């Protein structure tokens, strides 16, 4: 499709007024998204304040495709914080409203546009060929547009389209709309992203995976990025799937979400070490669920804090690693016999106390030194040759050895940790 190539001047005084008033429809010809694609337009129409602005041709009075850029076919986004930039060949509603020059001239107006019109009921794009300029579809594409009592219906079946959508936008025919339920509010992106403000719907004609618990109307929020790939016709609506969507966040109230967790081994909870947690796919209640190919939690200036009313369960298929250039601290406290248990197995608690290394080795070193001293003293023969000649070093070494051994024997219970146990 030919680009708009001419450049018109922007009347910055506000003296030039748009000719059309009220609300009318326009076909998008170009949307300003950066300063590189068309630098002259970027500079002439407000520089960075031109981002998101469009140039269009009116549906009721179509103009030539090579018409110059001017204030007569220029429109700004209507809403300041909710942006939905249209694609080329999408249709928008346009309205004339006060411009930035209204303080100098109360009659100064400019055009603003609403979001694209939902011509094809598609979240992916709603562009339609422009037959006035010879953009009608070739015969190979015409079968994609079926007629019904309500008008044309788009059913792309041949794996392609020849509608010009812009410089970089490439149509994906498998992007589906979400399946709605009564009362739902959606925000859907063009590439399979969505936020659903929904609820439990227990007796829906099309069941969903989160409504088998709780009551009708219980709220749920589902944030999804990257929808599940399916073999069904691409115009059939789709449901979120926490297991096969690319990335998901679920905020539930009473729902049970069938997450297939990568690990559900809770052997460390075997009695008496605590009640085994309910598996993620079986729990019904208020929770936040995250599922993706990878999760990264990072802080740039402060802590990551995990806090739980009950336990915190960690499970991994191939390992559980800690790497830190500083200390690794594990502390238990509170009332009762709270312990650190290492290596507990199913139906077998960790009940072997860990030795207190420093205290044990201090006394054990004394004992070994005394054994060496005694051994050296015993190397001198006693009573040979006759008559009997005593070895004066033996009694003193024997007394030291007895004292060290007795000390360790009396402290055996003190060497054992009262907190850390293993198997």
């Amino acid at each position: 499709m030919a680009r708009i190539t001419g450049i018109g001047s922007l009347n910055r005084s506000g003296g030039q007024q748009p000719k059309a008033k009220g609300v009318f429809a326009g076909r998008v010809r170009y949307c300003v998204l950066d300063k590189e694609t068309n630098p002259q337009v970027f500079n002439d129409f407000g520089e960075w304040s031109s981002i998101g602005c469009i140039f269009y041709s009116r549906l009721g009075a179509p103009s030539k495709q090579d018409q110059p850029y001017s204030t007569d076919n220029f429109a700004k986004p209507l809403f300041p914080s909710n942006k939905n930039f249209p694609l080329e060949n999408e249709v928008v509603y346009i309205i004339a409203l006060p411009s930035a020059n209204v303080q100098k001239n109360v009659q100064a107006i400019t055009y603003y546009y609403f979001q694209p019109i939902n011509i094809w009921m598609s979240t992916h794009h709603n562009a339609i060929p422009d037959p006035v300029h010879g953009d009608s579809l070739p015969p190979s594409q015409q079968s994609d547009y079926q007629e019904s009592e309500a008008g044309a219906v788009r059913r792309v079946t041949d794996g392609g389209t020849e509608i010009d959508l812009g410089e970089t936008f490439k149509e994906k025919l498998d992007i589906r709309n979400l399946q709605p339920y009564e009362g739902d509010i959606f925000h859907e992106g063009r590439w399979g992203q969505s936020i659903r403000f929904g609820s439990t719907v227990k007796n829906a004609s099309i069941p969903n995976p989160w409504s088998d618990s709780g009551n009708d109307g219980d709220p749920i929020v589902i944030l999804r990025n990257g929808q599940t790939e399916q073999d069904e016709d691409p115009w059939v609506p789709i449901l979120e799937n926490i297991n096969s969507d690319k990335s998901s966040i679920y905020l539930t109230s009473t729902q049970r979400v069938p997450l297939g967790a990568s690990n559900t081994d809770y052997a460390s909870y075997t009695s008496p070490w605590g009640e085994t947690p309910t598996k993620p796919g079986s729990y019904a209640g208020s929770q936040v669920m995250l599922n993706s190919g990878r999760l990264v939690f990072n802080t740039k200036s402060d802590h990551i804090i995990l806090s739980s009313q009950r336990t915190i369960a960690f499970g991994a298929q191939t390992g559980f690693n800690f790497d830190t250039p500083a200390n690794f601290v594990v502390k238990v406290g509170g009332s009762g016999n709270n312990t650190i248990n290492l290596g507990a197995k199913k139906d077998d608690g960790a009940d072997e106390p860990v030795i207190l290394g420093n205290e044990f080795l201090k006394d054990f070193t004394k004992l070994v030194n005394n054994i060496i001293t005694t051994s050296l003293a015993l190397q001198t023969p006693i009573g040979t040759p006759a008559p009997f000649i005593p070895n004066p070093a033996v009694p003193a070494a024997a007394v030291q050895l007895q004292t060290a051994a007795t000390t360790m024997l009396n402290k055996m219970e003190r060497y054992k940790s009262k907190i850390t146990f293993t198997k």
Side-chain angles (χ1 to χ4, degrees), residues 283-302:
Y283 182 84
S286 174
Q287 62 178 331
V288 177
M289 306 179 73
L290 295 87
N291 191 40
S292 187
R294 174 172 170 157
L295 299 178
V296 177
F297 298 89
N298 179 69
T299 64
K300 295 188 293 183
S301 61
D302 211 290

Side-chain angles (χ1 to χ4, degrees), residues 44 85 205 248 276-277 314 316 334 345 373 375 382 384 399 413-414:
D44 287 352
F85 298 141
S205 300
S248 303
T276 301
F314 292 97
K345 297 180 180 179
T373 300
S375 298
I382 302 175
T384 57
V399 171
E413 287 301 315
R414 292 175 53 187

Side-chain angles (χ1 to χ4, degrees), residues 102 210 226 244:
V102 69
W210 61 82
S244 54

